[in-house]
Amino acid sequence: MTTVNALNLAEVGSLIGDPARAQMLTALMDGRALTAGELAWCAGITPQTASGHLAKMQTAGLLTMEKQGRHRYFRLSSPTVAGMLESMHVVCAVDTPKRIRPETRMDADLRQARTCYDHLAGVLGVALADALAARSVIDFSGDGGLVTVGGRDFLAGFGLDMAKLEKGKRHFCRPCLDWSERRHHIAGAVGAGLADRLFDLQWIERIKDSRAVRVTPAGRTGLKETFGIDPSA
Amino acid sequence: MTTVNALNLAEVGSLIGDPARAQMLTALMDGRALTAGELAWCAGITPQTASGHLAKMQTAGLLTMEKQGRHRYFRLSSPTVAGMLESMHVVCAVDTPKRIRPETRMDADLRQARTCYDHLAGVLGVALADALAARSVIDFSGDGGLVTVGGRDFLAGFGLDMAKLEKGKRHFCRPCLDWSERRHHIAGAVGAGLADRLFDLQWIERIKDSRAVRVTPAGRTGLKETFGIDPSA
DNA sequence: GGAATGATTCGGCCCGCGCCGAAGCATGGC
DNA sequence: GCCATGCTTCGGCGCGGGCCGAATCATTCC
């Protein structure tokens, strides 16, 4: 009777059936891409253990991986997988009456604006990248990122020491995948320079004990006037 | 970072992650109730081992049990569980694009027409959904599914007790993703009602020991005349 | 009553796999 | 060249859980 490919079903089930892997998958359910290290931390296990789990899930086709520098970003391989996880969560929710953890204050802050290494990420970081792209200051359409000739003047006018930034060995202007927005923000020397400048102008300031940053009242007007960004919501 | 209750997800996953249990669950996917012994046989294990598995799945809320004489009948506890299994099968089908193993007769039958919990799936199920959508009986374009005003009359005319179907608590008309066709067929009360009616009319009949169904000669003409479906291939 | 059948509980074997420490690559920054 | 960081591979430990044999309970039939 009905043999079908229940074996495959069991394989998929057992992949999800490990607490660490389930934790990772849940963390990835919103479609964001996370690094192997972040996922290890999410699951509460060491990086080497996580690496094995991730490899398994990738081989099985549940995850896809994208290399970016020395980081490896993992995400669910398709909306189909997300849908499956969703339906499994539905069953979980039915089985256990009620228990939803609301998004914490810190989650919300991080999603809004935060530093990513030395540059800006989150809603603010992506908005900044969009604004500069719209003004033809930067161009992310190609493989890497580049600053236009006019853009160089614009950034210099905003107070960035372009000569100094260009001297360094690191990537000059690079798109970086944003984990909360799933879109690119500005990394590299230019990204770091922009963040530095915004801190110097006190348009943004760090939130204590967190990577999150907040926009100051001065920053609100400044960002609006200079970049057309309205970081209100 | 996003802890949620992934533990529950892992529990559900690991329940499904055992080959024997996956086999049982797959056998139950047509919504019928099977005895413990039948399920043991399906999974290829001894009754005492099966008993343990069934108890676990029952405790977890995946199965419900009904005593009848010295037999114990198990079935999936809800359409929600069936939907979850269905969506997992979708992922399985996507993951294995090419058949390693040649398609068996049974696979072909299942792909053609089968019951999915209590409604129809497979080529026939999808064709039925398409036909009813083309005739503006149902509308799957929105978020969920809905039956049009004219559609209600059409279905009533076909012999469905619409008042009774509307009275129930379950979803009335819902699209369900088909694992073999990767398109939607009709689930919910309307889907179940349609399948029941087709069985009553003897337009379709179950293939022994399988979720697969076959279209009878009477069904062939009936489906053609009523819905414009030609289940020939 | 006794025998047969379906299903469960108990006990013990054993394999699979998740885990981490240590070491090995790769990339980036200096 | 160096070191730091992120990730992977390898090896071995240990536990959880699936498996069956034997015994027990429940139901039906004679």
Side-chain angles (χ1 to χ4, degrees), chain B residues 153-174:
Chain B
D153 295 338
F154 177 90
L155 293 174
F158 183 55
L160 272 67
D161 185 347
M162 298 307 286
K164 185 181 167 196
L165 294 181
E166 283 158 1
K167 216 174 52 184
K169 269 189 168 179
R170 66 185 293 189
H171 276 121
F172 183 56
C173 179
R174 188 175 63 79

Side-chain angles (χ1 to χ4, degrees), chain B:
Chain B
M1 190 184 286
T2 53
T3 306
V4 197
N5 34 7
L7 268 176
N8 286 338
L9 177 64
E11 286 165 16
V12 172
S14 94
L15 279 171
I16 305 170
D18 176 79
R21 286 194 292 258
Q23 197 85 337
M24 295 179 181
L25 289 168
T26 302
L28 291 169
M29 268 185 75
D30 61 0
R32 284 181 301 179
L34 298 177
T35 67
E38 287 171 322
L39 288 166
W41 185 85
C42 282
I45 52 179
T46 58
Q48 61 268 34
T49 304
S51 180
H53 287 313
L54 292 168
K56 271 180 192 164
M57 293 193 281
Q58 190 189 349
T59 304
L62 259 45
L63 302 183
T64 57
M65 192 262 289
E66 193 179 336
K67 292 174 68 168
Q68 212 167 89
R70 52 185 169 186
H71 294 278
R72 304 207 169 178
Y73 282 90
F74 291 86
R75 69 171 68 228
L76 300 185
S77 64
S78 72
T80 305
V81 174
M84 174 188 69
L85 294 172
E86 187 78 14
S87 76
M88 294 182 75
H89 273 292
V90 172
V91 170
C92 293
V94 170
D95 281 0
T96 49
K98 283 182 189 168
R99 265 175 271 282
I100 310 269
R101 169 176 68 91
E103 183 177 58
T104 64
R105 175 77 216 168
M106 191 187 298
D107 291 337
D109 287 344
L110 283 173
R111 198 159 43 71
Q112 188 59 34
R114 66 181 179 277
T115 51
C116 171
Y117 197 63
D118 55 4
H119 53 270
L120 287 177
V123 173
L124 179 62
V126 170
L128 194 59
D130 284 347
L132 292 180
R135 277 144 208 260
S136 296
V137 171
I138 59 170
D139 180 4
F140 275 179
S141 62
D143 244 3
L146 59 86
V147 176
T148 63
V149 178
R152 189 182 186 285
D153 295 338
F154 177 90
L155 293 174
F158 183 55
L160 272 67
D161 185 347
M162 298 307 286
K164 185 181 167 196
L165 294 181
E166 283 158 1
K167 216 174 52 184
K169 269 189 168 179
R170 66 185 293 189
H171 276 121
F172 183 56
C173 179
R174 188 175 63 79
C176 176
L177 191 54
D178 195 291
W179 66 257
S180 59
E181 299 302 301
R182 293 193 224 171
R183 302 190 43 221
H184 292 290
H185 56 247
I186 309 170
V190 170
L194 275 168
D196 283 347
R197 183 65 180 143
L198 292 177
F199 277 119
D200 283 347
L201 289 170
Q202 297 188 354
W203 284 11
I204 54 176
E205 60 189 9
R206 295 184 189 280
I207 293 177
K208 188 167 162 52
D209 290 336
S210 167
R211 296 162 54 205
V213 301
R214 84 164 57 82
V215 177
T216 63
R220 209 169 291 274
T221 51
L223 287 169
K224 179 98 180 184
E225 284 170 7
T226 311
F227 303 102
I229 299 173
D230 189 3
S232 52

Side-chain angles (χ1 to χ4, degrees), chain A residues 37-57:
Chain A
E38 286 171 323
L39 287 166
W41 185 85
C42 282
I45 53 179
T46 58
Q48 62 268 34
T49 304
S51 180
H53 287 314
L54 292 168
K56 270 180 194 164
M57 292 193 281

Side-chain angles (χ1 to χ4, degrees), chain A residues 42-84:
Chain A
C42 282
I45 53 179
T46 58
Q48 62 268 34
T49 304
S51 180
H53 287 314
L54 292 168
K56 270 180 194 164
M57 292 193 281
Q58 191 189 349
T59 303
L62 260 45
L63 303 182
T64 58
M65 191 262 288
E66 189 181 341
K67 290 175 70 170
Q68 212 168 86
R70 50 187 169 186
H71 295 278
R72 304 210 169 175
Y73 280 90
F74 290 86
R75 68 169 69 226
L76 300 185
S77 64
S78 72
T80 306
V81 174
M84 174 189 71

